Coordinates of all heavy atoms in Angstrom, one line a residue:
M1 N 94.9 117.8 102.1 CA 93.8 117.2 101.5 C 94.0 115.6 101.6 O 95.1 115.2 101.3 CB 93.7 117.6 100.1 CG 92.4 117.3 99.5 SD 92.3 117.9 97.7 CE 92.4 116.3 96.9
T2 N 93.0 114.9 102.0 CA 93.2 113.5 102.1 C 93.3 112.9 100.7 O 92.7 113.3 99.7 CB 91.9 112.8 102.7 OG1 92.0 111.4 102.6 CG2 90.6 113.3 102.1
P3 N 94.2 111.9 100.6 CA 94.4 111.2 99.3 C 93.4 110.2 99.0 O 93.3 109.6 97.9 CB 95.8 110.6 99.4 CG 95.9 110.2 100.8 CD 95.2 111.4 101.6
W4 N 92.5 109.9 100.0 CA 91.6 108.8 99.9 C 90.3 109.1 99.2 O 89.7 110.1 99.5 CB 91.3 108.2 101.2 CG 92.6 107.6 101.9 CD1 93.3 108.2 102.9 CD2 93.2 106.4 101.6 NE1 94.4 107.5 103.2 CE2 94.4 106.3 102.5 CE3 93.0 105.3 100.7 CZ2 95.2 105.2 102.4 CZ3 93.8 104.3 100.7 CH2 95.0 104.2 101.6
T5 N 89.9 108.3 98.2 CA 88.7 108.5 97.5 C 87.7 107.4 97.8 O 88.0 106.2 97.7 CB 89.0 108.5 95.9 OG1 89.9 109.5 95.7 CG2 87.7 108.8 95.1
D6 N 86.5 107.8 98.2 CA 85.4 106.9 98.5 C 84.9 106.2 97.2 O 84.5 106.9 96.3 CB 84.3 107.7 99.2 CG 83.2 106.8 99.7 OD1 83.0 105.6 99.2 OD2 82.5 107.2 100.6
V7 N 85.0 104.9 97.1 CA 84.7 104.3 95.8 C 83.5 103.3 96.0 O 82.9 102.9 95.0 CB 85.9 103.5 95.2 CG1 86.9 104.5 94.8 CG2 86.4 102.4 96.1
A8 N 83.2 102.8 97.2 CA 82.1 101.8 97.3 C 81.8 101.6 98.8 O 82.5 102.0 99.7 CB 82.6 100.5 96.7
A9 N 80.6 101.0 99.0 CA 80.3 100.5 100.3 C 80.9 99.2 100.6 O 80.9 98.4 99.6 CB 78.8 100.5 100.5
E10 N 81.4 98.9 101.7 CA 82.0 97.6 102.0 C 80.9 96.5 101.8 O 81.2 95.4 101.4 CB 82.5 97.6 103.5 CG 83.4 96.4 103.7 CD 83.9 96.3 105.2 OE1 83.6 97.2 106.0 OE2 84.7 95.4 105.4
A11 N 79.7 96.9 102.0 CA 78.6 95.9 101.9 C 78.3 95.5 100.4 O 77.7 94.5 100.1 CB 77.3 96.5 102.5
D12 N 78.9 96.3 99.5 CA 78.8 96.0 98.1 C 79.7 94.8 97.7 O 79.6 94.3 96.6 CB 79.1 97.2 97.2 CG 78.1 98.3 97.3 OD1 77.0 98.0 97.7 OD2 78.5 99.4 96.9
L13 N 80.7 94.5 98.5 CA 81.6 93.5 98.2 C 81.2 92.1 98.7 O 80.6 92.0 99.8 CB 83.0 93.8 98.8 CG 83.6 95.2 98.4 CD1 84.8 95.5 99.2 CD2 83.9 95.2 96.9
F14 N 81.5 91.1 98.0 CA 81.2 89.7 98.4 C 82.5 88.9 98.4 O 83.3 89.0 97.5 CB 80.1 89.1 97.5 CG 78.8 89.8 97.6 CD1 78.5 90.7 96.7 CD2 77.9 89.5 98.6 CE1 77.2 91.4 96.8 CE2 76.7 90.1 98.7 CZ 76.4 91.1 97.8
E15 N 82.6 88.1 99.4 CA 83.8 87.3 99.6 C 84.0 86.4 98.3 O 83.1 85.8 97.9 CB 83.7 86.4 100.8 CG 84.1 87.2 102.1 CD 83.9 86.3 103.3 OE1 83.9 85.1 103.2 OE2 83.8 86.9 104.4
G16 N 85.2 86.4 97.8 CA 85.5 85.6 96.7 C 85.0 86.1 95.3 O 84.9 85.4 94.4
A17 N 84.8 87.5 95.3 CA 84.3 88.0 94.0 C 84.8 89.4 93.9 O 85.3 90.1 94.8 CB 82.8 88.0 94.0
G18 N 84.7 89.9 92.6 CA 85.1 91.3 92.3 C 84.0 92.2 91.8 O 83.0 91.7 91.4
I19 N 84.2 93.5 92.0 CA 83.2 94.4 91.4 C 84.1 95.5 90.8 O 85.2 95.8 91.1 CB 82.3 95.1 92.5 CG1 83.0 95.9 93.5 CG2 81.4 94.1 93.1 CD1 82.1 96.9 94.3
A20 N 83.5 96.2 89.8 CA 84.2 97.3 89.1 C 83.8 98.6 89.7 O 82.6 98.8 90.0 CB 83.8 97.2 87.6
V21 N 84.7 99.5 89.8 CA 84.5 100.9 90.2 C 85.2 101.8 89.3 O 86.3 101.4 88.7 CB 84.9 101.1 91.7 CG1 84.0 100.3 92.7 CG2 86.3 100.8 91.9
T22 N 84.7 103.0 89.1 CA 85.4 103.9 88.1 C 85.6 105.3 88.7 O 85.1 106.3 88.1 CB 84.5 104.0 86.8 OG1 83.2 104.4 87.2 CG2 84.4 102.6 86.1
P23 N 86.4 105.4 89.8 CA 86.6 106.7 90.3 C 87.5 107.5 89.4 O 88.5 107.0 88.9 CB 87.3 106.4 91.7 CG 88.0 105.1 91.4 CD 87.1 104.3 90.5
E24 N 87.2 108.8 89.2 CA 88.0 109.7 88.4 C 88.4 109.1 87.1 O 89.6 109.3 86.6 CB 89.3 110.1 89.2 CG 88.9 110.8 90.5 CD 90.1 111.2 91.4 OE1 91.2 111.2 90.8 OE2 89.9 111.6 92.5
G25 N 87.5 108.3 86.5 CA 87.8 107.8 85.1 C 88.7 106.6 85.1 O 88.9 106.1 84.0
Q26 N 89.1 106.1 86.2 CA 89.9 104.9 86.3 C 89.0 103.7 86.3 O 87.9 103.8 86.8 CB 90.7 104.9 87.6 CG 91.6 106.1 87.8 CD 92.9 105.9 87.1 OE1 93.2 105.0 86.5 NE2 93.7 107.0 87.3
D27 N 89.4 102.6 85.7 CA 88.7 101.4 85.7 C 89.4 100.4 86.6 O 90.4 99.8 86.3 CB 88.6 100.8 84.2 CG 87.6 99.6 84.1 OD1 86.9 99.3 85.1 OD2 87.6 99.0 83.0
I28 N 88.8 100.2 87.8 CA 89.5 99.5 88.8 C 88.5 98.4 89.3 O 87.3 98.5 89.4 CB 89.8 100.4 90.0 CG1 90.9 101.4 89.5 CG2 90.4 99.7 91.2 CD1 91.2 102.5 90.5
A29 N 89.1 97.2 89.7 CA 88.3 96.1 90.2 C 88.7 95.9 91.7 O 89.9 95.9 92.1 CB 88.7 94.8 89.5
L30 N 87.6 95.9 92.5 CA 87.8 95.6 93.9 C 87.5 94.2 94.2 O 86.5 93.6 93.7 CB 86.8 96.4 94.8 CG 86.9 97.9 94.7 CD1 85.8 98.5 95.7 CD2 88.3 98.4 95.2
F31 N 88.3 93.5 95.1 CA 88.1 92.1 95.4 C 88.1 92.0 96.9 O 88.9 92.6 97.6 CB 89.2 91.2 94.8 CG 89.2 91.2 93.3 CD1 89.9 92.1 92.6 CD2 88.4 90.3 92.6 CE1 90.0 92.1 91.2 CE2 88.5 90.2 91.3 CZ 89.2 91.2 90.5
K32 N 87.2 91.1 97.4 CA 87.3 90.7 98.8 C 87.6 89.2 98.9 O 87.0 88.4 98.2 CB 85.9 91.0 99.4 CG 85.9 90.8 100.9 CD 84.6 91.3 101.5 CE 84.7 91.3 103.0 NZ 83.4 91.8 103.6
L33 N 88.7 88.9 99.6 CA 89.1 87.6 99.8 C 88.3 86.9 100.8 O 87.5 87.5 101.6 CB 90.6 87.5 100.1 CG 91.6 88.2 99.2 CD1 93.0 87.8 99.6 CD2 91.3 87.9 97.8
E34 N 88.4 85.6 100.9 CA 87.7 84.8 101.9 C 88.1 85.2 103.3 O 87.3 85.0 104.2 CB 87.8 83.3 101.6 CG 87.0 82.9 100.5 CD 87.3 81.5 100.0 OE1 88.1 80.8 100.6 OE2 86.6 81.0 99.0
N35 N 89.3 85.7 103.5 CA 89.7 86.1 104.8 C 89.3 87.5 105.1 O 89.6 88.0 106.2 CB 91.2 86.0 105.0 CG 92.0 86.9 104.1 OD1 91.4 87.8 103.5 ND2 93.3 86.8 104.0
G36 N 88.5 88.1 104.2 CA 88.0 89.5 104.5 C 88.8 90.6 104.0 O 88.4 91.8 104.0
S37 N 90.1 90.3 103.5 CA 90.9 91.4 103.0 C 90.4 91.9 101.7 O 89.8 91.2 100.9 CB 92.3 90.8 102.8 OG 92.9 90.3 103.9
V38 N 90.5 93.2 101.5 CA 90.1 93.9 100.3 C 91.2 94.4 99.5 O 92.1 95.0 100.1 CB 89.1 95.0 100.6 CG1 88.6 95.7 99.4 CG2 87.9 94.4 101.4
Y39 N 91.3 94.1 98.2 CA 92.4 94.6 97.4 C 91.8 95.3 96.1 O 90.6 95.0 95.7 CB 93.3 93.5 97.0 CG 94.0 92.8 98.1 CD1 93.6 91.7 98.7 CD2 95.1 93.5 98.7 CE1 94.2 91.1 99.7 CE2 95.8 92.9 99.8 CZ 95.3 91.7 100.3 OH 96.0 91.2 101.4
A40 N 92.6 96.1 95.5 CA 92.2 96.8 94.3 C 93.3 96.7 93.2 O 94.4 97.1 93.5 CB 91.8 98.3 94.6
I41 N 92.9 96.3 92.0 CA 93.9 96.3 90.9 C 93.1 96.8 89.7 O 91.9 96.8 89.7 CB 94.5 94.9 90.6 CG1 93.5 93.9 90.2 CG2 95.3 94.4 91.8 CD1 94.1 92.5 89.7
N42 N 93.9 97.2 88.7 CA 93.3 97.7 87.5 C 92.3 96.6 86.9 O 92.7 95.4 87.0 CB 94.3 98.0 86.4 CG 94.8 99.5 86.5 OD1 94.3 100.2 87.4 ND2 95.7 99.9 85.7
N43 N 91.2 97.0 86.4 CA 90.2 96.0 86.0 C 90.5 95.4 84.6 O 90.2 94.2 84.4 CB 88.8 96.8 85.9 CG 87.7 95.8 85.8 OD1 87.8 94.6 86.1 ND2 86.5 96.3 85.5
L44 N 91.2 96.1 83.8 CA 91.5 95.6 82.5 C 92.7 94.6 82.5 O 93.8 95.0 83.1 CB 91.9 96.7 81.5 CG 92.1 96.4 80.1 CD1 90.7 95.8 79.4 CD2 92.5 97.6 79.3
C45 N 92.6 93.4 82.0 CA 93.7 92.5 82.0 C 94.8 93.1 81.1 O 94.6 93.8 80.1 CB 93.2 91.2 81.3 SG 94.5 89.9 81.2
T46 N 96.0 92.8 81.5 CA 97.2 93.4 80.8 C 97.5 92.6 79.5 O 98.3 92.9 78.8 CB 98.5 93.4 81.7 OG1 98.8 92.0 82.1 CG2 98.3 94.2 82.9
H47 N 96.7 91.5 79.3 CA 97.0 90.6 78.1 C 96.0 90.9 77.0 O 96.2 90.6 75.9 CB 96.9 89.2 78.6 CG 97.1 88.2 77.4 ND1 96.1 87.4 76.9 CD2 98.2 87.9 76.7 CE1 96.6 86.7 75.9 NE2 97.9 86.9 75.8
G48 N 94.8 91.4 77.4 CA 93.7 91.6 76.4 C 92.6 92.4 77.0 O 92.7 93.0 78.0
N49 N 91.5 92.4 76.2 CA 90.4 93.2 76.6 C 89.4 92.5 77.5 O 88.2 92.4 77.2 CB 89.7 93.7 75.3 CG 88.7 94.8 75.5 OD1 88.8 95.5 76.5 ND2 87.7 94.9 74.7
A50 N 89.9 92.0 78.6 CA 89.0 91.3 79.6 C 88.9 92.0 80.9 O 89.9 92.7 81.3 CB 89.6 89.9 79.8
K51 N 87.8 91.9 81.5 CA 87.6 92.6 82.8 C 87.9 91.6 83.9 O 87.2 90.6 84.1 CB 86.1 93.1 82.9 CG 85.7 94.1 81.8 CD 86.4 95.4 82.1 CE 85.8 96.5 81.1 NZ 86.5 97.8 81.3
L52 N 88.8 92.0 84.7 CA 89.2 91.1 85.8 C 88.2 91.0 86.9 O 88.1 90.0 87.6 CB 90.6 91.5 86.4 CG 91.7 91.4 85.4 CD1 93.0 92.0 86.1 CD2 91.9 90.0 84.9
C53 N 87.3 92.0 87.0 CA 86.2 91.9 88.0 C 85.3 90.7 87.7 O 84.5 90.2 88.6 CB 85.4 93.2 88.0 SG 84.4 93.5 86.6
D54 N 85.3 90.2 86.5 CA 84.5 89.0 86.1 C 85.2 87.7 86.3 O 84.7 86.7 86.0 CB 84.1 89.1 84.6 CG 83.2 90.3 84.3 OD1 82.4 90.7 85.2 OD2 83.3 90.9 83.2
G55 N 86.5 87.8 86.7 CA 87.3 86.6 86.9 C 87.0 85.8 88.1 O 86.3 86.3 89.0
F56 N 87.5 84.6 88.1 CA 87.3 83.7 89.2 C 88.3 83.9 90.2 O 89.5 84.0 89.9 CB 87.4 82.3 88.6 CG 87.2 81.2 89.6 CD1 86.0 81.0 90.2 CD2 88.2 80.3 89.9 CE1 85.8 80.0 91.1 CE2 88.1 79.3 90.8 CZ 86.9 79.1 91.4
V57 N 87.9 84.1 91.5 CA 88.9 84.3 92.6 C 89.2 83.0 93.3 O 88.3 82.3 93.7 CB 88.3 85.4 93.6 CG1 89.2 85.6 94.7 CG2 88.0 86.7 92.9
E58 N 90.5 82.8 93.4 CA 90.9 81.6 94.1 C 92.0 82.0 95.0 O 93.1 82.4 94.6 CB 91.3 80.5 93.1 CG 91.5 79.2 93.8 CD 91.7 78.0 92.9 OE1 91.1 78.1 91.8 OE2 92.5 77.1 93.2
G59 N 91.8 81.8 96.3 CA 92.8 82.2 97.3 C 93.1 83.7 97.1 O 92.1 84.5 97.1
H60 N 94.3 84.2 96.9 CA 94.6 85.6 96.7 C 94.9 85.9 95.2 O 95.6 86.9 94.9 CB 95.7 86.1 97.6 CG 96.9 85.2 97.6 ND1 97.9 85.4 96.6 CD2 97.4 84.2 98.4 CE1 98.8 84.5 96.8 NE2 98.6 83.8 97.8
H61 N 94.4 85.0 94.3 CA 94.5 85.3 92.9 C 93.2 85.5 92.2 O 92.2 85.0 92.7 CB 95.3 84.1 92.2 CG 96.7 84.1 92.5 ND1 97.2 83.3 93.5 CD2 97.8 84.7 91.9 CE1 98.6 83.4 93.5 NE2 98.9 84.3 92.6
V62 N 93.2 86.2 91.1 CA 92.0 86.3 90.2 C 92.5 85.7 88.9 O 93.6 86.0 88.4 CB 91.4 87.7 90.1 CG1 92.4 88.7 89.4 CG2 90.2 87.6 89.3
E63 N 91.6 84.9 88.3 CA 91.9 84.3 87.0 C 91.2 85.1 85.9 O 90.0 85.2 86.0 CB 91.4 82.8 87.0 CG 91.7 82.1 85.8 CD 91.1 80.7 85.8 OE1 89.9 80.5 85.7 OE2 91.9 79.7 86.1
C64 N 91.9 85.5 84.9 CA 91.3 86.3 83.8 C 90.3 85.4 83.1 O 90.6 84.2 82.8 CB 92.4 86.7 82.9 SG 91.7 87.5 81.4
P65 N 89.1 86.0 82.9 CA 88.1 85.1 82.2 C 88.4 84.8 80.8 O 87.7 83.9 80.2 CB 86.8 86.0 82.3 CG 87.3 87.4 82.5 CD 88.6 87.3 83.2
F66 N 89.3 85.4 80.1 CA 89.6 85.1 78.7 C 90.6 84.0 78.5 O 90.3 83.0 77.9 CB 90.1 86.4 78.0 CG 89.0 87.3 77.5 CD1 87.7 87.2 78.0 CD2 89.3 88.3 76.6 CE1 86.7 88.0 77.6 CE2 88.3 89.1 76.2 CZ 87.0 89.0 76.6
H67 N 91.8 84.1 79.1 CA 92.8 83.1 78.8 C 93.4 82.6 80.1 O 94.5 82.0 80.1 CB 93.9 83.7 77.9 CG 93.4 84.4 76.7 ND1 93.6 85.7 76.5 CD2 92.8 83.9 75.6 CE1 93.0 86.1 75.4 NE2 92.5 85.0 74.8
Q68 N 92.8 82.8 81.2 CA 93.1 82.2 82.5 C 94.5 82.7 83.1 O 95.1 81.9 83.9 CB 93.1 80.7 82.4 CG 91.7 80.1 82.3 CD 91.0 80.3 81.0 OE1 91.6 80.0 79.9 NE2 89.8 80.9 80.9
A69 N 95.0 83.8 82.7 CA 96.2 84.3 83.4 C 95.8 84.6 84.9 O 94.6 84.9 85.2 CB 96.6 85.7 82.8
L70 N 96.7 84.4 85.8 CA 96.5 84.6 87.2 C 97.2 85.9 87.6 O 98.4 86.1 87.4 CB 97.0 83.4 88.0 CG 96.2 82.1 87.9 CD1 96.9 81.1 88.8 CD2 94.8 82.3 88.3
F71 N 96.5 86.7 88.3 CA 97.0 87.9 88.9 C 96.9 87.8 90.4 O 95.8 87.5 91.0 CB 96.3 89.2 88.5 CG 96.5 89.5 87.0 CD1 95.6 89.0 86.1 CD2 97.6 90.2 86.6 CE1 95.8 89.2 84.7 CE2 97.8 90.5 85.2 CZ 96.9 90.0 84.3
D72 N 98.0 88.2 91.1 CA 98.0 88.2 92.6 C 97.3 89.5 93.0 O 97.7 90.6 92.7 CB 99.4 88.2 93.1 CG 99.5 88.0 94.6 OD1 98.6 88.5 95.3 OD2 100.4 87.3 95.1
L73 N 96.2 89.4 93.7 CA 95.4 90.5 94.1 C 96.1 91.4 95.1 O 95.8 92.6 95.2 CB 94.0 90.1 94.7 CG 93.2 89.3 93.7 CD1 92.0 88.7 94.4 CD2 92.7 90.3 92.6
R74 N 97.1 90.9 95.8 CA 97.8 91.7 96.8 C 98.7 92.7 96.2 O 98.9 93.8 96.8 CB 98.6 90.8 97.7 CG 97.6 89.8 98.4 CD 98.4 88.7 99.2 NE 99.3 87.9 98.3 CZ 100.1 87.0 98.7 NH1 100.1 86.6 99.9 NH2 100.8 86.3 97.8
D75 N 99.3 92.5 95.0 CA 100.2 93.5 94.4 C 100.1 93.5 92.9 O 100.8 94.3 92.2 CB 101.6 93.1 94.8 CG 102.1 91.8 94.3 OD1 101.3 91.1 93.6 OD2 103.2 91.4 94.6
G76 N 99.1 92.8 92.3 CA 98.9 92.9 90.8 C 99.9 92.0 90.0 O 99.8 92.0 88.8
S77 N 100.8 91.4 90.7 CA 101.8 90.6 89.9 C 101.2 89.4 89.2 O 100.2 88.9 89.6 CB 103.0 90.2 90.9 OG 102.5 89.3 91.9
V78 N 101.9 89.0 88.2 CA 101.4 87.8 87.4 C 101.8 86.5 88.1 O 103.0 86.3 88.3 CB 102.0 87.9 86.0 CG1 101.5 86.7 85.2 CG2 101.5 89.2 85.3
G79 N 100.8 85.7 88.4 CA 101.1 84.4 89.0 C 101.3 83.3 87.9 O 101.9 82.3 88.2
C80 N 100.7 83.5 86.8 CA 100.7 82.6 85.7 C 100.3 83.3 84.4 O 99.4 84.1 84.4 CB 99.7 81.5 86.1 SG 99.5 80.2 84.8
G81 N 100.9 82.9 83.3 CA 100.6 83.6 82.0 C 99.3 83.1 81.5 O 98.6 82.4 82.1
P82 N 99.0 83.6 80.3 CA 99.8 84.2 79.3 C 100.1 85.7 79.5 O 101.0 86.3 78.8 CB 99.0 84.1 78.0 CG 97.6 84.1 78.4 CD 97.6 83.3 79.7
A83 N 99.5 86.4 80.5 CA 99.9 87.8 80.7 C 101.3 87.8 81.2 O 101.8 86.9 81.9 CB 98.9 88.4 81.8
T84 N 102.0 88.9 80.9 CA 103.4 89.1 81.4 C 103.5 90.3 82.2 O 104.4 90.4 83.0 CB 104.4 89.1 80.2 OG1 104.0 90.1 79.3 CG2 104.4 87.7 79.5
E85 N 102.7 91.3 81.9 CA 102.7 92.6 82.6 C 101.8 92.6 83.9 O 100.7 92.1 83.8 CB 102.2 93.7 81.7 CG 103.1 94.0 80.5 CD 104.4 94.7 81.0 OE1 104.3 95.6 81.8 OE2 105.4 94.2 80.5
P86 N 102.3 93.0 85.0 CA 101.5 93.1 86.2 C 100.3 94.1 86.0 O 100.4 95.0 85.2 CB 102.4 93.6 87.3 CG 103.6 94.2 86.6 CD 103.7 93.6 85.3
A87 N 99.3 93.9 86.7 CA 98.2 94.8 86.8 C 98.5 95.8 87.9 O 98.9 95.4 89.0 CB 96.8 94.1 87.1
K88 N 98.2 97.1 87.6 CA 98.5 98.1 88.6 C 97.6 97.9 89.9 O 96.5 97.6 89.7 CB 98.2 99.5 88.1 CG 98.5 100.6 89.1 CD 98.4 102.0 88.4 CE 98.5 103.1 89.4 NZ 99.7 103.1 90.2
S89 N 98.3 97.9 91.0 CA 97.5 97.7 92.2 C 97.4 99.1 93.0 O 98.2 99.9 92.9 CB 98.2 96.6 93.1 OG 98.9 97.1 94.2
W90 N 96.3 99.2 93.7 CA 96.0 100.5 94.4 C 95.8 100.3 95.9 O 95.2 99.3 96.3 CB 94.6 101.0 93.8 CG 94.6 101.3 92.3 CD1 94.3 100.4 91.4 CD2 95.0 102.5 91.7 NE1 94.5 100.9 90.1 CE2 94.9 102.2 90.3 CE3 95.4 103.7 92.1 CZ2 95.1 103.2 89.3 CZ3 95.7 104.7 91.2 CH2 95.5 104.4 89.8
P91 N 96.3 101.2 96.7 CA 96.1 101.1 98.1 C 94.7 101.2 98.5 O 93.9 102.0 98.0 CB 96.9 102.3 98.7 CG 97.9 102.7 97.6 CD 97.2 102.4 96.3
V92 N 94.3 100.3 99.5 CA 92.9 100.3 99.9 C 92.8 100.6 101.4 O 93.6 100.2 102.2 CB 92.3 98.9 99.7 CG1 90.9 98.8 100.2 CG2 92.3 98.5 98.2
K93 N 91.8 101.3 101.8 CA 91.5 101.6 103.2 C 90.0 101.4 103.4 O 89.2 101.8 102.6 CB 91.9 103.0 103.5 CG 91.6 103.4 105.0 CD 92.2 104.8 105.3 CE 91.2 105.8 104.9 NZ 91.5 107.2 105.5
I94 N 89.7 100.6 104.5 CA 88.2 100.5 104.9 C 88.0 101.3 106.1 O 88.7 101.1 107.1 CB 87.9 99.0 105.2 CG1 88.4 98.1 104.1 CG2 86.4 98.8 105.4 CD1 87.6 98.0 102.9
E95 N 87.0 102.1 106.1 CA 86.7 102.9 107.2 C 85.2 103.3 107.3 O 84.7 103.7 106.2 CB 87.5 104.2 107.2 CG 87.7 104.9 108.5 CD 88.7 106.1 108.4 OE1 89.9 105.8 108.5 OE2 88.3 107.2 108.1
G96 N 84.6 103.0 108.4 CA 83.2 103.4 108.6 C 82.3 102.7 107.5 O 81.3 103.3 107.1
G97 N 82.6 101.5 107.1 CA 81.8 100.8 106.2 C 82.0 101.2 104.7 O 81.2 100.8 103.9
R98 N 82.9 102.1 104.5 CA 83.2 102.5 103.1 C 84.6 102.0 102.7 O 85.5 101.8 103.5 CB 83.2 104.0 103.0 CG 81.9 104.7 103.5 CD 80.7 104.4 102.6 NE 80.9 104.7 101.2 CZ 80.0 104.5 100.2 NH1 78.8 104.0 100.6 NH2 80.3 104.8 99.0
V99 N 84.7 101.9 101.4 CA 86.0 101.4 100.8 C 86.6 102.7 100.1 O 86.0 103.3 99.3 CB 85.8 100.3 99.7 CG1 87.2 99.9 99.2 CG2 85.1 99.2 100.3
Y100 N 87.9 103.0 100.5 CA 88.6 104.1 99.9 C 89.8 103.6 99.2 O 90.5 102.7 99.6 CB 89.1 105.0 101.1 CG 88.0 105.7 101.8 CD1 87.4 105.0 102.9 CD2 87.5 107.0 101.5 CE1 86.3 105.6 103.7 CE2 86.5 107.5 102.2 CZ 85.9 106.8 103.3 OH 84.9 107.4 104.0
L101 N 90.1 104.3 98.1 CA 91.4 104.0 97.3 C 92.2 105.3 97.3 O 91.7 106.4 97.3 CB 91.1 103.6 95.9 CG 90.2 102.4 95.7 CD1 90.1 102.1 94.2 CD2 90.8 101.2 96.4
D102 N 93.6 105.1 97.3 CA 94.5 106.2 97.1 C 94.8 106.2 95.6 O 95.6 105.4 95.2 CB 95.7 106.0 98.0 CG 96.7 107.1 97.8 OD1 96.5 108.0 97.0 OD2 97.7 107.2 98.6
L103 N 94.2 107.1 94.9 CA 94.4 107.2 93.5 C 95.6 108.0 93.0 O 95.8 108.2 91.9 CB 93.1 107.8 92.8 CG 91.8 107.0 93.1 CD1 90.6 107.8 92.5 CD2 91.9 105.6 92.5
N104 N 96.3 108.5 94.0 CA 97.5 109.4 93.7 C 98.7 108.6 93.4 O 99.7 109.2 93.0 CB 97.7 110.4 94.8 CG 96.5 111.3 95.0 OD1 96.0 111.9 94.1 ND2 96.0 111.3 96.2
L105 N 98.7 107.3 93.6 CA 100.0 106.5 93.4 C 100.0 106.0 92.0 O 99.0 105.8 91.4 CB 100.0 105.4 94.5 CG 100.1 105.9 95.9 CD1 100.1 104.7 96.9 CD2 101.3 106.8 96.1
Ligands
FES201 FE1 93.5 88.1 80.2 FE2 94.3 87.0 77.9 S1 92.9 88.7 78.1 S2 94.8 86.4 79.9

């Protein structure tokens, strides 16, 4: 059985912005960078009740809309506080115009 779950159309993504998807009850934010790369990290900020899909994307970071913590979209690591815990990152695959996540990791 394939581990990949279809979560969105690639056309739903816009460069430099995030969208929320909720496959299998998970709350995940998808981001497309200006270079076209697509990444997925948990949507909930690890510092508080903020949605990272609403954050400002700069380079390969997203800035939390509440207290401006920076998360690296490539692996969920914290680039700048006040958050200290990384956001879980999810493997992404683009195929046939669809965005797939591996939710088993
Ligand atoms: Fe995200 Fe505070 S809720 S930095």
Side-chain angles (χ1 to χ4, degrees):
M1 199 179 106
T2 170
W4 298 101
T5 301
D6 184 339
V7 295
E10 193 179 2
D12 291 340
L13 302 174
F14 294 96
E15 281 176 19
I19 64 166
V21 294
T22 55
E24 298 179 15
Q26 305 274 1
D27 189 7
I28 297 175
L30 296 180
F31 294 90
K32 187 171 190 178
L33 305 190
E34 283 171 2
N35 67 10
S37 303
V38 177
Y39 295 102
I41 63 173
N42 274 0
N43 196 12
L44 187 65
C45 181
T46 59
H47 179 253
N49 193 25
K51 298 289 190 182
L52 296 176
C53 67
D54 297 328
F56 180 67
V57 177
E58 189 170 329
H60 52 82
H61 286 96
V62 62
E63 184 183 75
C64 175
F66 276 15
H67 312 111
Q68 287 77 50
L70 289 179
F71 293 91
D72 191 324
L73 295 169
R74 300 170 299 180
D75 61 5
S77 62
V78 176
C80 178
T84 55
E85 293 290 314
K88 181 172 173 56
S89 104
W90 302 88
V92 177
K93 180 174 84 167
I94 309 281
E95 201 171 275
R98 303 293 307 180
V99 182
Y100 296 85
L101 300 183
D102 182 349
L103 299 174
N104 298 307
L105 297 179

